[in-house]
Amino acid sequence: MPKVTAEHRVARREQIVTAALTCVSEHGFHKTTMADVIRESGLSAGAVYGYFRSKDEIIAAIADQALGTVDDLFAEILSTEEPLTPAEAMRRVLVHVVAIAERPGGDITRIGLQAWAEAVHNPAIGAIAREKYKMLRGHYLRVVRRAQADGTVAADVDPEHVAQALFGLLPGFILQRLLLGDVTPESYSAGIDALFGSSTPQTT
Amino acid sequence: MPKVTAEHRVARREQIVTAALTCVSEHGFHKTTMADVIRESGLSAGAVYGYFRSKDEIIAAIADQALGTVDDLFAEILSTEEPLTPAEAMRRVLVHVVAIAERPGGDITRIGLQAWAEAVHNPAIGAIAREKYKMLRGHYLRVVRRAQADGTVAADVDPEHVAQALFGLLPGFILQRLLLGDVTPESYSAGIDALFGSSTPQTT
Amino acid sequence: MPKVTAEHRVARREQIVTAALTCVSEHGFHKTTMADVIRESGLSAGAVYGYFRSKDEIIAAIADQALGTVDDLFAEILSTEEPLTPAEAMRRVLVHVVAIAERPGGDITRIGLQAWAEAVHNPAIGAIAREKYKMLRGHYLRVVRRAQADGTVAADVDPEHVAQALFGLLPGFILQRLLLGDVTPESYSAGIDALFGSSTPQTT
Amino acid sequence: MPKVTAEHRVARREQIVTAALTCVSEHGFHKTTMADVIRESGLSAGAVYGYFRSKDEIIAAIADQALGTVDDLFAEILSTEEPLTPAEAMRRVLVHVVAIAERPGGDITRIGLQAWAEAVHNPAIGAIAREKYKMLRGHYLRVVRRAQADGTVAADVDPEHVAQALFGLLPGFILQRLLLGDVTPESYSAGIDALFGSSTPQTT
DNA sequence: AATGAATGAGACTTCATTCAT
DNA sequence: TATGAATGAAGTCTCATTCAT
C-alpha cells in the first residue's frame, strides 16, 4: 500500500498547507499559532506534526506554494509565442495577480509580503524566496530579450538590468494595492505606459 | 527643570528606538524580544517601559522613524528647483536609499520590509504606513507634474497613476537588493532608462 | 469517549481548585501566585491554563466553591422539617461551620474573608458573592418565617429584617474566631441565648 | 527645630495615610499601587518613603487609623452614663457607622473588610486588628455588664460571651451593607429587636 | 497513524523600592 | 529633605512541541 499512502500524505500535506495559508494570509506568520492551523485544518496536533516537523517547515511550504503559484502564472502569461511589449507583459501579470489574490482561501499577495519580511532573517525562507524570485525574474528576462530582438527596447542594455527594473514594478504594485488600496492594474498600467514613452536620455 | 526633562525624555526615547532599530533590522519584529531591546539600549526593563507602554508602541515608533527618514530623504532630493526627469529622480533616490541602508546601526530598508508585512495585520502600523506612503508618493507626484509640464511625460495621463508606477519601482529595488543582492542603483537605473525609452503605445 | 473527557475535565478542574483553595486559605488571594497553584496542583502551567483562562477565573471558582459548600451546609441544617428556634438554628450552623473549617485542605472561612474583601472591588467575585449570600440568607428567612408562624418571633416584623439580623451574626462569629480565636459555637450561642431572652421594647 | 519638624512629620504622615485610605477604599490593599498613593498624596516617591519604610507600613497605618476611628466612635457612643439596652447600643453604633462610612474620602468599612482579609495572613495587620478588636468588643462588654446589672440581660451568663454575640452583629451588618446593599440601621435594628424579644430557652 | 492533554521554556509587563542629583 | 528616573525581581500567561493511549 505504498502508493495509496504516498498519495494520502500528499493530500494531507496540501490540506495542512491550505489551512495554514488561510490563517497566515489573515494574521501573518507570527500571529498564526499552530493551534490556529490545527483548528483550521480539521486535524489533530499529532497529525499535523506527522506531516511537518515544525512550524517553520509549514511556513516554508506556504512560501513555496505561494511563490510557486505566481511562477506558474508567469510561465503561462510570459512564455507565450506572441511578442509582448514589456508594458503589455506587466499589464497582463497585474490583471492575473489581482485575480488570484481575490480568490477565496487567502490573498496570496499577503503571503508574499510575509515571505519578503521573513526571508531576510530566516535562512530557509530566504533560500526559497531567492530561488523563486530568480525564476520569476527569469520570465521577465525572456520578455526583455524578445523586446530587444524586435527593437522595442534598446539592444545595448544588459537585459538582466532591464528585467530587474521591469520585474521591480511588481512589488510596488502589490504593496500599494494592499497598503493604500488605490491602485488597479488599469491605473498602474496607464502610469507605466506614460513613463515608458517618456523621452529619457538613453544609453547609446 | 521642565526643559531638561523634556529633552531627556526625547533623548531616552531615541536611545530606545535606536536600540530597537538595530535589533529589529537584524531579527525582525517578532524575533526581537523586549529583553533584546532592553539589553541593547543599556537600560533596565522598568526604564524602557517608562518611555513606551508596550512592545507594540516601540514597533510603531521604529516604523515611524524609519519611514520618516525616507520621507526626509525624498523631500531633500525631489523638492529641488531644477527639473528632474522621472528616471533621474529615481536614480538619485536609489543612490541615497542605498547610502542610508548601509549606514551602521541597522539597515533601514529591512525595517521597511518588516513594516510592510506588519502593516497588513496591525492597525497601528497600518495607519503609520499609510500616512507615510502617501507622503512618499506625493513627492513623486510633484516630479511627475513637473515632467508633464515640460513635456517629458505625456500630459494627458493622470499624474497620480504615473506617480503610482514611478514610486512603485522602489519596493522592487529594495526587495531585490535585500533578497537577491544583485541590483545596484546603477544596474536598476540602466534598466529603467532602457524601459522609459521603449516605444510603448501611449494613451492619446 | 466524550463522557470520559467530560469527567476528566471536571476532575482536573477540581484538582486545580482544591490546590488553589489550599494556597489561598493559607496566603490569601493576592499572595498566592500561579506558580504556587501550579506546584500544589502537581500540573504544569500549560495544563492549568487549559482549564482556567486566568488567575481571576480560578479565584472565582474558589469563591464559588467555598460559598457553595456553605450553602449546601445551610440547606441541610436549616431545611429540616422540625421547627427550629432562631437561636438553635444559629447554634447548629456554628457547630457545622467550625467542623468544616477545621477539615484539612484549607479553612473555608478564611476563603470567605478573602471573598468578602475581593467582592467589593472585583465585579466577578461581587456577582458570585451577591448570589450566594442571597441564597444563604434565604435559608434563614425560612427559619424566621417558621418562627413567626409558631409565635417564637413577633409576627409583625418584616421577616427579611429578622433574617438580616440573624444571618448577620455569622460573619461576626467567623471574624472573631479567625482574628481573636476566643469564640466557640458554645460561647457564642450562650451569648445569643442571653441576648434573645433580653426584654427588648418590641414593635407592637 | 525639633518641634516644627515633628509636627511636620505628623502632618505629612496624615497626608499620606489619607491619600492611601482613599485609594485602598476604592481598589483594595493589593490593587492599590505605591504609584497610586504617591499620585494621590501629591508627594514624590522619595518623600513618601521618607515617612514610611514600606507599603506594608502604610497599610498598617491605614488599618490602625480606620479601626481607631471606629474605636473613638464606640467610646463616644457606648461609654455614656445613661443605661443602654444592648439593642439600643447596637442601633446607635449602626447609625454612626453608616454616617462615617458615607463621609467623603473613602468608606471606612471597606477598609475594614480589607483589614479582616489581610489580618489573617499578615502578622503586622493581625496584631493591629487583634488589639483594636479587643478594644471594640470591650466597649460592648461594658454595655453588657450594665445590662446585666439592671436585669435587662440574664446575669448568670458570662458577659464576655454576650459581648461576643452582640459585637458579632456588626460585621454582618457591614458585610450585608457593602455586598447586598439592602440593609439599613433601621431594618437591621428592627430585626434585632424582634430577635431579642424572642422567647429563647435561657440558661438558668 | 491518530489523538489531544500535557509540557515548560520563555515572552511581556508591573511595581515596590532606591539613590544620584 | 526632596525629587523622580531608574532598577530588576517576580508575576501572569502563551504556544511550539511531545507522547501515552
Side-chain angles (χ1 to χ4, degrees), chain D residues 45-161:
Chain D
V48 169
Y49 274 88
Y51 294 101
F52 291 93
R53 235 192 295 280
S54 67
K55 184 182 177 183
D56 273 2
E57 219 175 273
I58 295 181
I59 287 178
I62 294 171
D64 194 76
Q65 162 151 333
L67 297 180
T69 301
V70 178
D71 186 51
D72 292 346
L73 172 72
F74 277 27
E76 198 182 317
I77 295 173
L78 303 180
S79 299
T80 166
E81 282 306 306
E82 58 170 326
L84 280 172
T85 62
E88 174 60 10
M90 201 67 225
R91 199 189 60 76
R92 292 195 186 179
V93 162
L94 297 181
V95 169
H96 283 89
V97 161
V98 169
I100 288 182
E102 289 175 345
R103 285 201 299 225
D107 184 334
I108 231 173
T109 63
R110 291 169 71 123
I111 306 286
L113 240 66
Q114 297 296 314
W116 302 345
E118 192 69 10
V120 181
H121 314 295
N122 184 327
I125 304 299
I128 290 170
R130 247 184 307 284
E131 180 208 334
K132 294 289 184 186
Y133 272 88
K134 276 183 187 152
M135 291 174 65
L136 294 181
R137 210 173 61 186
H139 293 295
Y140 276 106
L141 187 58
R142 280 200 295 281
V143 170
V144 168
R145 286 210 164 106
R146 215 148 40 191
Q148 287 183 315
D150 59 29
T152 317
V153 167
D156 57 353
V157 182
D158 186 336
E160 293 277 5
H161 296 174

Side-chain angles (χ1 to χ4, degrees), chain A residues 121 137 164 182 196 198, chain B residues 114 121 137 182 187 196 198:
Chain A
H121 313 295
R137 211 172 61 184
Q164 287 175 2
D182 59 1
F196 282 19
S198 66
Chain B
Q114 298 295 313
H121 312 295
R137 211 174 59 186
D182 58 2
S187 73
F196 282 19
S198 67

Side-chain angles (χ1 to χ4, degrees), chain B residues 8 12 43-47 51:
Chain B
H8 186 252
R12 276 276 189 269
L43 296 174
S44 66
Y51 293 97

Side-chain angles (χ1 to χ4, degrees), chain C residues 26 28 110 113-114 116-117 120-121 130 137 152 161 164 168 172 176 179 182-183 187-188 196-198 200 202, chain D residues 26 28 110 113-114 116-117 120-121 130 137 152 161 164 168 172 176 179 182-183 187-188 196-198 200 202:
Chain C
E26 195 168 347
R110 292 169 71 124
L113 240 66
Q114 297 296 315
W116 300 345
V120 181
H121 312 297
R130 247 184 306 285
R137 211 173 61 186
T152 318
H161 296 174
Q164 285 174 4
Q176 290 179 73
L179 229 61
D182 59 1
V183 292
S187 72
Y188 206 67
F196 281 19
S198 67
T200 301
Q202 294 186 37
Chain D
E26 195 168 348
R110 291 169 71 123
L113 240 66
Q114 297 296 314
W116 302 345
V120 181
H121 314 295
R130 247 184 307 284
R137 210 173 61 186
T152 317
H161 296 174
Q164 286 173 2
Q176 290 179 74
L179 229 60
D182 59 0
V183 294
S187 73
Y188 207 68
F196 283 18
S198 67
T200 301
Q202 294 187 37

